[in-house]
Amino acid sequence: MASLRSPSSPTDGYKRFSDDFANTSINNYGSNVTNNRTDTDGGGDATLDMGSRSSLHTGLQMSEDEHWEMNYHEAAIYLEEGLNNEKFDSHPSSPEELPAYLRVHNPWYHGLDLLASLVLILLAFTEDPAVPAFELPVWAHGTIELLALSVIGIELHLKLKWIGWGTIFKHKRTMLKGITLLIMVLEAVVVLCRQSSHFRVTRALRPIFLVDTRHCGGVRRFIRQILQSLPPIIDMLGLLMFFVATYSLLGYYLFTEHVDNGHFQTISDSFVSMFVLLTTANFPDVMMPSYAKSKWYALFFILYIITVLYVLMNLMLAVVYETFTRIERDKCRALLLHRRGAARRAFRLLVSRRAPRAVRLRHFAGLLRHYAPHYGGLDVYLMFKQLSRSGGGGLSRAEFANVYEVFALRWAAQAARAPWYSASPLEPLGRAAAVAVRWRYFEHLVYAIIIGNGVSMILRVFEAAGDLQDSARLLCASWDTWLFLILFLLEAALRIMASGLSAYLESGWNVFDLSVTLLALLGAVMLTIAPKLFIVVMFRPLRLMRLYKLKKRYRDVFGTLVLLSPLMSSAGCVMLVMYYFFAIIGMELFAGYDLRNCCINTTVEDFYKYSENSSTPLGYYYLNNFENILTSGVSLFELTVVNNWFILMNAYATVAGQFSRIYFMVFYLFTMVVLTIVVASVLEAFRFRIQYKRSTTKRDEEKLLHEEVHTSWEEAQRLGASGDLAEELRAHLPPGMQVTFIGTRPRTKEVLQRRMYQADIQKWLAEEDDSEDAPPSTTVTSSEDPLSPPIIQQPDSENNHQIRTGYQL
């Protein structure tokens, strides 16, 4: 007979079974192995007290407790799929699929997958055209590439092993990854065989592997939002290009006879000039030759800029903002319903035939042992108690649907909320510090010291100094610097003594103040040791940012930045991926061209004049090229800024052909789309925060972020606490005494959205309940207690109308 073993938990807080099984008893918060009844046929036994059977032990012979363990395991998998927003059609459905699923979802394999993806990205530094300091021979970077692709290929093989080849067409991301992997393996083999690189524009697709890793979920969501926002953006771009083309045609017929205006000599020149004018990079240069002939020609350019730049571009931002706001709300709805669906699937695996409508504490603890084994027994019990709002002995399906909300709670006994220094030798110091911090003028004194620090810096800046070293030392390592640093450290020490280190670090402003103070202290020490280390002069002025906290508008701005930090990090990664994509293409297209003295007798000739002895101030533009991945990134950033970007485009149009302009125009359109969505996300986050502040008081927010649970040892026994769980609870719940625990959840945007979308959430849940395609139940409860046996309604017949009690099989 095969049974299960529970291995040590991975670092992501999710205990998984290995694919091999060994006999061992399971004695933890869940079921204890006391009943060794086995399922003789592997298909089910009437003696098992289980509401639903896990598909992961189909055909396996195991005891009832081992069946329960597999139910807990599969329920935990469902909850993790809900948390990570993974589709349920990739859920393992048989014991044969489970080992591959567990290996791919192992955190060590996640790290290996991420490492292989990053290695592929970084190979661009070593491949031709390579950064000189990192260049490797072909056999070396080709071998590394094949090894990295092999790791990714193994992960893809294991994934297909459980989702099946038949469902790959439903997983577009997996299908795209597989096709890209196949192409890159073939190209890497060709490179190794030929011992030389060829035209490999497909290297630009390497970020696909990075984006597909578990650690880049936020990046995938941002890309998904971009794709969902594309339809209105494409509509507006179509309208925008119509006006650009129309004005280009009109400009051609108006200005083509102006010999000294070379921007409109052909239809293509006219279109390029008007496209560049869309970014205002060539204004007023493009207008001045015609303006010199007649002042009325200025109307053409003024009307064009007003139409495309101030009307259509802002209208596109408005359309994208409206679309982004709707997508954000739809995303919140989809994630909520997906997690609710995951909770319902898990619920079916946790109910028993004796309690088909409720999850008991024993089974809830078994679930948490696999889903989040880092939780202690007290945490498990308090989460169960928090969910059990009805006061019954178990969790109904509606109560269990809120299971994700309690996972973020961190519990502490109300008595533990007393000052940290209570009954300790440091109590006199702690009380004195608390009195000082609560002094009504303490904050005013701190701000006065910060202002004094600023005045001191201003005086030091204007103070005469012998050279840069003396000036830097006076600014950041003089006696007044040390004085203010000591005062700031004293302030931090008082706050820490008054509230405790953990409570002190909960405030973002406290973390910022302490960080910049320590950096300024480090800078003063470093500047004393190394007088030419001028970069440290930036640390001392950072303390002045605390003054911005005084004004509410600045607090709103900083609060918005905190809410936006996850989204901005994802947007930054998307921008880097886009830069990598275009950098690879740019290197493949333009790496062989030298731009020095490339544009003789053109409008950009002066920007590329070069001589061995010296160059003109404008002549350094030849450095903006695509000779390796680093210089390509710098060139692309200059194109993103769009200041004089047409100079680089015209240079490559001269040396590589007119069609090279398409590359630069497409890059501009891509950056415009991404940056427009970033601006829309900033506007949406700021609007969300302002509305939240207006509709939520401090008291409401306190209630939102904190939960109270009142319980006792006797209640824990009544709810079924036994075994190791009971032993752990006994240390925290003295008999005959009620204890209050406070649960605190972090202040994240997801938590705030539940408050802002409260009415919408109730509507979404009601709509989902109405749309559920569930057959009418033939079971009615015999009482209000969800743990009581159900009453089975017999089918109506002429001779049978009686109702009898029993258990649902």
Side-chain angles (χ1 to χ4, degrees), residues 382-393:
L382 292 175
M383 285 189 284
F384 182 86
K385 188 73 173 60
Q386 171 64 22
L387 288 172
S388 181
R389 298 299 181 94
S390 62

Side-chain angles (χ1 to χ4, degrees), residues 63 294 718:
S63 67
S294 174
R718 182 178 63 82

Side-chain angles (χ1 to χ4, degrees), residues 21-255:
F21 302 107
N23 281 321
T24 185
S25 62
I26 301 167
N27 187 19
N28 208 310
Y29 303 140
S31 57
N32 298 329
V33 178
T34 57
N35 186 349
N36 291 323
R37 292 173 298 181
T38 60
D39 181 0
T40 58
D41 61 358
D45 191 289
T47 62
L48 295 181
D49 180 29
M50 306 182 72
S52 296
R53 292 285 304 276
S54 170
S55 61
L56 301 182
H57 54 64
T58 303
L60 297 179
Q61 295 181 357
M62 53 183 65
S63 67
E64 178 179 343
D65 291 291
E66 291 167 340
H67 279 301
W68 270 117
E69 287 300 316
M70 291 302 288
N71 272 28
Y72 301 153
H73 190 193
E74 185 170 15
I77 291 176
Y78 272 125
L79 290 186
E80 185 176 289
E81 288 171 339
L83 180 67
N84 297 324
N85 199 24
E86 296 179 357
K87 295 180 179 180
F88 297 127
D89 57 4
S90 62
H91 182 84
S93 57
S94 68
E96 293 77 16
E97 298 174 358
L98 183 59
Y101 179 89
L102 296 184
R103 289 191 184 99
V104 174
H105 286 75
N106 186 284
W108 289 98
Y109 202 91
H110 292 161
L112 187 61
D113 189 28
L114 177 64
L115 178 62
S117 302
L118 289 175
V119 167
L120 282 177
I121 296 288
L122 295 176
L123 281 178
F125 288 81
T126 66
E127 299 166 325
D128 187 44
V131 178
F134 302 105
E135 187 173 4
L136 292 177
V138 174
W139 67 265
H141 66 68
T143 304
I144 295 173
E145 182 177 8
L146 277 180
L147 289 175
L149 292 174
S150 298
V151 172
I152 296 172
I154 292 173
E155 185 269 343
L156 184 61
H157 169 72
L158 292 174
K159 185 174 183 179
L160 293 175
K161 195 172 181 179
W162 93 76
I163 69 172
W165 289 90
T167 59
I168 190 174
F169 296 104
K170 298 180 182 178
H171 293 256
K172 297 181 178 62
R173 198 173 79 233
T174 303
M175 183 172 62
L176 177 62
K177 181 178 180 180
I179 295 173
T180 306
L181 179 66
L182 178 62
I183 294 174
M184 289 192 174
V185 168
L186 294 176
E187 285 201 328
V189 171
V190 171
V191 169
L192 282 176
C193 293
R194 297 178 64 244
Q195 285 297 300
S196 64
S197 297
H198 54 274
F199 185 78
R200 292 188 62 190
V201 73
T202 53
R203 291 189 299 156
L205 300 178
R206 285 175 178 171
I208 290 176
F209 303 124
L210 179 64
V211 172
D212 191 58
T213 60
R214 174 62 62 90
H215 300 82
C216 293
V219 178
R220 289 196 300 273
R221 285 190 289 271
F222 191 83
I223 293 176
R224 191 180 301 117
Q225 285 180 312
I226 292 177
L227 296 177
Q228 291 172 342
S229 303
L230 276 182
I233 291 177
I234 292 175
D235 292 341
M236 291 303 301
L237 283 179
L239 182 61
L240 190 66
M241 290 299 104
F242 170 78
F243 278 94
V244 172
T246 302
Y247 273 90
S248 301
L249 185 64
L250 179 59
Y252 170 72
Y253 283 104
L254 286 177
F255 310 126

Side-chain angles (χ1 to χ4, degrees), residues 29 377 713 716-717 720-733:
Y29 303 140
W713 169 248
Q717 288 182 309
S722 61
D724 291 351
L725 178 59
E727 290 298 324
E728 185 170 345
L729 291 180
R730 190 186 297 273
H732 301 279
L733 301 175

